[in-house]
Amino acid sequence: MCAQASERTPRDRRQARRRGGAEPGAATAPAYSVAARHDDLTGSPPTWIGVGDLDLFHDENLAYAQRLQAVGVEVTVDVVSGAPHGFDHWAAGTDIARQYNARADEWLGRILGLTPVRP
């Protein structure tokens, strides 16, 4: 059970703000915070979906990608073998995370029409 607002720690309050005040997976999440829950995805922008094959959101992400593709949205899906949720942050110094982030950066640069900057 959730603590009353007055009993929540500063960390609890920060996390709640990041989620728009809703608990993860809640059926009542604000519509703007969960694009995959929209009934009609027509007109969605080009989308890059990166997910590890061990990520708890793997299947949900792939289903979202299929729904976007079904309405003609350009979708790039990057599934990383052996990667769990958040690996690109907590293991950011690894080759697999650096390569993953580089692919995401390259995709975004292409979509925005930017010239890649190489060190």
Side-chain angles (χ1 to χ4, degrees):
M1 179 173 208
C2 289
Q4 295 298 320
S6 62
E7 298 171 352
R8 292 183 181 152
T9 67
R11 182 174 183 260
D12 293 336
R13 289 190 292 274
R14 282 193 307 274
Q15 289 176 338
R17 282 192 300 273
R18 282 192 293 248
R19 294 190 302 263
E23 290 299 315
T28 59
Y32 64 84
S33 67
V34 188
R37 292 189 185 175
H38 290 205
D39 292 329
D40 183 5
L41 299 173
T42 304
S44 294
T47 304
W48 183 86
I49 296 175
V51 64
D53 65 351
L54 301 178
D55 192 316
L56 67 157
F57 298 112
H58 174 268
D59 294 347
E60 180 180 340
N61 287 347
L62 296 185
Y64 179 47
Q66 290 175 341
R67 289 182 57 224
L68 287 165
Q69 289 169 332
V71 296
V73 175
E74 177 189 336
V75 180
T76 299
V77 178
D78 188 343
V79 178
V80 182
S81 179
H85 186 76
F87 80 96
D88 54 318
H89 295 285
W90 54 260
T94 64
D95 286 343
I96 194 170
R98 282 194 298 269
Q99 293 165 4
Y100 172 82
N101 287 325
R103 291 190 302 273
D105 290 348
E106 288 172 11
W107 177 88
L108 184 59
R110 182 179 58 78
I111 292 299
L112 296 177
L114 302 174
T115 304
V117 176
R118 301 284 182 208

